[in-house]
Amino acid sequence: MKSGRLQTLINQVNTIINGTGMALPLNVITNKDLEEMVETSDEWIVSRTGIRERRKLEEGMSAVDLAERASLEALKAASLDPLALNLIIVATVTPDYPTPATSCLLQARLGAFNAGAMDLSAGCTGFIYAMTVGHQFIQSGVCRNILVVGVEVLTRITDWEDRGTCVLFGDGAGAVVLSASDEDRGIISHSIKADGRGAELLLVPGGGSAMPASLESISKRAHYIKMNGNEIFKFAVRVVEDTLEEMLRKEKLKPSDLDFLILHQANLRIIEHIRKRLKLPREKVPVNIDRLGNTSSATIPIAIHEELTAGRLHKGDLVAMVAFGAGLTWGGLLMKW
Ligand code: UT7
């Protein structure tokens, strides 16, 4: 047992991840492809971000299509009938529509008619926020099974004329089934934070009530992501370190106690910086940004699914997850797998 606090997981209702799934579009965009579109180079993109390629969802498909595929895989892995779900939470900044929520569309696709459904918008921290919300419903006894999905179709809100952002983002989905369990494992602690003073650092200005769609908003390219990359970079390094430090300190744990540190995939330089500072070996800090780019709220559930299906993540492993993003938001989750 790695800490006294973990002992308290015994003999109470715990929240475990009971099944995972992921879905990616088939369409690959390489750095070479981007060289044809904007003034950039494979060398710049790889050295500044670590990204080599990303996925782009086929026309005619939308967030719910990816979410459905990832969810069906997670439900199958959990051996759970969709009718046993009590709640569906979809974390996304690229819903199918402003209203209704993508989670409602997903509920209908899955036939999960006993589940409430809501979307959650917390930028790239969406998955951590959604897991935290789901955990509260299980802890309170209100729900036994919750589907949490992180899904993004960021290529639809990417400005393909802005080299500062278009090289970064990709599409994808990851899903997990959260279940109530009396096993001695599950979510140990969590932390969700925000600082709205940084809202303008990462923003899609058009399409909401502040700037409804108009010919003018379209001509200003206001429906695409605008980002101050430098500021977000500095913020990210700071909050990831602080969040992790706080979560570990609370549980009297050290970074070396971790079997996995799953970080939001926004830039390989951020991931490597944290990994080296904490002196963690590469195999404990999974990377998918090289193949998938930044898929926002989907980066962490995709990484979990990949580690699990590759046979590297085992029952009892201590796993920390930390994310940051638009809002500004950030947060972390500690769990015993
Ligand atoms: O998911 C959460 C949200 N996003 C993030 O976490 C992103 C965090 N930020 C970052 O990852 C980095 O800041 C970026 C990858 C976005 C940018 O890297 P950087 O090292 O901060 O570059 P920079 O913005 O300071 O730009 C350096 C130079 C500039 O040229 P000058 O002014 O020095 O002549 C840019 O115009 O690189 C230029 N540049 C590019 N050059 C080639 C910017 N984008 C590109 C590009 N190709 N794609």
Side-chain angles (χ1 to χ4, degrees):
M1 186 57 64
K2 280 166 176 156
S3 93
R5 174 66 176 80
L6 295 188
Q7 205 68 36
T8 62
L9 281 171
I10 301 169
N11 296 332
Q12 63 176 37
V13 174
N14 291 317
T15 307
I16 62 165
I17 291 181
N18 203 10
T20 66
M22 66 180 272
L24 296 172
L26 295 175
N27 202 5
V28 175
I29 300 192
T30 64
N31 292 349
K32 278 264 168 288
D33 294 330
L34 289 167
E35 285 179 2
E36 312 281 311
M37 298 160 71
V38 286
E39 186 69 37
T40 191
S41 66
D42 176 53
E43 196 277 327
W44 191 96
I45 302 171
V46 172
S47 64
R48 305 309 291 168
T49 72
I51 302 170
R52 294 179 184 277
E53 56 185 51
R54 67 290 287 145
R55 301 294 178 97
K56 185 173 189 289
L57 189 62
E58 294 74 18
E59 269 178 42
M61 302 191 99
S62 58
V64 70
D65 295 301
L66 285 174
E68 182 187 11
R69 272 172 48 208
S71 301
L72 286 172
E73 192 177 11
L75 286 164
K76 192 169 170 211
S79 304
L80 201 75
D81 187 315
L83 288 170
L85 287 173
N86 309 117
L87 181 63
I88 298 174
I89 311 176
V90 173
T92 187
V93 296
T94 48
D96 284 50
Y97 310 111
T99 195
T102 297
S103 52
C104 292
L105 310 180
L106 180 62
Q107 189 238 34
R109 291 272 188 101
L110 299 174
F113 300 118
N114 294 319
M118 62 172 154
D119 285 6
L120 195 154
S121 172
C124 301
T125 322
F127 181 73
I128 300 289
Y129 267 71
M131 289 282 286
T132 304
V133 172
H135 178 50
Q136 311 313 311
F137 276 100
I138 287 181
Q139 290 298 291
S140 65
V142 173
C143 296
R144 285 202 68 79
N145 297 299
I146 300 176
L147 178 66
V148 175
V149 185
V151 57
E152 301 294 358
V153 192
L154 292 173
T155 59
R156 300 270 162 83
I157 57 167
T158 295
D159 186 346
W160 295 99
E161 294 182 7
D162 174 13
R163 70 175 183 173
T165 54
C166 77
V167 301
L168 303 174
F169 301 115
D171 303 335
V176 303
V177 174
L178 292 181
S179 294
S181 169
D182 56 10
E183 287 180 62
D184 165 28
R185 62 195 188 95
I187 294 176
I188 298 163
S189 75
H190 49 78
S191 158
I192 50 172
K193 303 232 166 103
D195 184 351
R197 289 170 296 186
E200 304 226 324
L201 294 175
L202 181 41
L203 181 78
V204 177
S209 60
M211 192 193 292
S214 65
L215 288 177
E216 195 194 347
S217 73
I218 290 168
S219 71
K220 282 184 178 159
R221 310 183 75 74
H223 302 269
Y224 297 127
I225 298 171
K226 316 282 175 211
M227 183 176 76
N228 181 332
N230 285 131
E231 287 303 315
I232 300 273
F233 194 104
K234 285 185 267 176
F235 146 77
V237 171
R238 181 169 48 81
V239 298
V240 170
E241 288 182 351
D242 288 354
T243 304
L244 204 56
E245 215 261 315
E246 182 195 318
M247 283 195 311
L248 292 176
R249 187 166 19 89
K250 215 163 73 188
E251 308 304 327
K252 299 190 176 59
L253 293 165
K254 306 182 293 301
S256 58
D257 291 323
L258 292 174
D259 296 297
F260 282 95
L261 172 59
I262 304 187
L263 296 175
H264 170 50
Q265 311 276 308
N267 190 316
L268 188 59
R269 282 155 56 213
I270 299 177
I271 298 169
E272 279 296 282
H273 174 86
I274 306 285
R275 185 183 72 74
K276 285 177 186 159
R277 260 184 89 103
L278 301 177
K279 299 189 173 57
L280 293 174
R282 278 216 166 79
E283 60 271 20
K284 285 191 173 186
V285 188
V287 167
N288 59 47
I289 189 168
D290 53 339
R291 294 166 284 126
L292 305 179
N294 178 347
T295 55
S296 189
S297 62
T299 66
I300 290 180
I302 286 175
I304 295 172
H305 180 75
E306 288 189 334
E307 291 310 306
L308 193 64
T309 50
R312 292 187 287 263
L313 178 53
H314 303 109
K315 219 175 195 177
D317 280 352
L318 188 64
V319 182
M321 311 169 196
V322 186
F324 55 87
L328 298 169
T329 57
W330 64 100
L333 202 83
L334 195 62
M335 68 184 301
K336 186 175 168 194
W337 194 264

